[in-house]
Amino acid sequence: MEKIFARPKSLKKAVFHYCPGCGHSIAHRITCEVIDELGIQDRAIGVPPPGCSVFAYYYFDVDMVESAHGRGAAVATGIKRAYPESLVFTYQGDGDLSAIGTTETLHAANRGENLTALFINNAVYGMTGGQMAPTTMLGIKTTTSPFGREGKYEGYPIKMSEILAQVQGTCYIERVAVNSPANIRKAKKAIKKAFQCQMEGRGYSLVEILSPCPTNWKMSAIESWKWIDNVMSKEFPLGVIKDTTGSKSDAN
Ligand SMILES: Cc1ncc(C[n+]2csc(CCOP(=O)(O)OP(=O)(O)O)c2C)c(N)n1
Ligand code: SF4
């Protein structure tokens, strides 16, 4: 009998520790599917962060080098420069990439480091208990913005993808979501295109993935998927933000 659905080869046979409905597990799976499809399991090197995905190395069956919080772009730069034939990707939350790691990320992008960032935006600091992140939307209550985020006091939701699109070293940036089968398919295509950009030596590529965190959003999984469509993607619109390849993104 023909097998039409199976665990990707590069996804270990381990049980995810993520909460039910969490987007990290979907992002892991589609990234592994892309690694398999591109045939790069033996040369892919992932750089996971502190955060809920801190144990990503238990799941990806590729070489992984853990970085300190926010330092993914710097660690990945070293790996890629030492092993230019490898396919290097960082896997970073929004607390990681858009707060403590802003400097490393912006300068790695500006230098056009030939690597790929998978940027998981769930609009909070997930692992540490749902504190406000730079990506938290105005009016949203978190443990550190109990009355709702107010721009005047707490700043405004930061749009890292749009900022990074401004610098010369970035070649491809797309925002996707993992909240529906159609969006998951688009997210996978975007990750594939970002990896292909790196394989072609085009510079820094990034896929921002809007990802549900039902636990800290205090919603059911289904409510959190709807919230991405109805609220989050209004603040963070989905689509290609920058593409210097000249080829039409097959994600759209
Ligand atoms: C240098 C440093 N500062 C703070 C922390 C504490 N810390 C661990 S995870 C985390 C936030 C994670 O949030 P995010 O990056 O958005 O990832 P998520 O858990 O939501 O996936 C923080 C502040 C740390 N590990 N290291
Ligand atoms: S706290 Fe949020 S981001 Fe962390 S595993 Fe649970 S649902 Fe996922």
Side-chain angles (χ1 to χ4, degrees):
M1 193 189 293
E2 191 195 355
K3 202 181 220 182
I4 55 167
F5 191 75
R7 178 182 287 273
K9 203 156 68 78
S10 52
L11 186 64
K12 288 180 190 167
K13 281 187 187 151
V15 178
F16 287 133
H17 71 282
Y18 300 116
C19 309
C22 177
H24 277 303
S25 32
I26 303 170
H28 285 13
R29 183 187 165 101
I30 57 178
T31 304
C32 288
E33 287 178 357
V34 169
I35 290 170
D36 285 3
E37 286 170 22
L38 294 174
I40 53 171
Q41 188 182 5
D42 57 346
R43 64 190 177 103
I45 304 177
V47 181
C52 281
S53 53
V54 65
F55 295 137
Y57 47 78
Y58 287 147
Y59 308 133
F60 284 84
D61 198 1
V62 301
D63 286 329
M64 302 288 269
V65 181
E66 184 75 27
S67 81
H69 202 221
R71 310 285 101 87
V75 173
T77 295
I79 296 169
K80 184 69 184 186
R81 288 187 180 199
Y83 298 101
E85 72 290 350
S86 58
L87 184 297
V88 181
F89 66 95
T90 64
Y91 188 100
Q92 300 175 261
D94 48 315
D96 183 291
L97 189 141
S98 69
I100 193 169
T102 315
T103 318
E104 283 82 354
T105 303
L106 183 62
H107 288 288
N110 190 47
R111 292 193 305 271
E113 298 293 344
N114 191 31
L115 51 90
T116 304
L118 303 180
F119 168 35
I120 310 296
N121 180 359
N122 58 19
V124 284
Y125 283 54
M127 182 197 198
T128 42
Q131 294 87 355
M132 193 193 82
T135 44
T136 302
M137 284 161 291
L138 293 180
I140 298 295
K141 291 182 182 167
T142 69
T143 51
T144 48
S145 58
F147 304 108
R149 182 177 190 172
E150 197 178 336
K152 191 174 161 194
Y153 295 108
E154 286 130 353
Y156 298 87
I158 197 163
K159 307 218 169 39
M160 283 304 287
S161 290
E162 281 81 352
I163 292 170
L164 293 168
Q166 301 303 313
V167 303
Q168 213 170 324
T170 51
C171 61
Y172 170 64
I173 297 182
E174 177 157 356
R175 185 181 289 118
V176 296
V178 286
N179 66 329
S180 68
N183 279 347
I184 292 168
R185 276 196 296 276
K186 287 182 186 173
K188 180 179 166 184
K189 285 179 181 170
I191 294 169
K192 193 171 200 175
K193 179 157 179 168
F195 282 5
Q196 284 168 329
C197 284
Q198 184 181 156
M199 291 161 85
E200 292 160 8
R202 292 180 184 274
Y204 187 95
S205 52
L206 177 141
V207 180
E208 176 176 344
I209 302 171
L210 304 189
S211 177
C213 174
T215 300
N216 285 304
W217 296 357
K218 302 186 179 6
M219 294 177 192
S220 69
I222 291 174
E223 284 166 347
S224 73
W225 299 335
K226 287 184 183 157
W227 196 75
I228 288 186
D229 276 340
N230 298 334
V231 181
M232 199 176 173
S233 58
K234 303 283 186 285
E235 182 74 46
F236 298 101
L238 305 185
V240 177
I241 295 162
K242 181 173 186 178
D243 185 357
T244 61
T245 64
S247 69
K248 195 175 169 298
S249 167
D250 55 0
N252 292 291

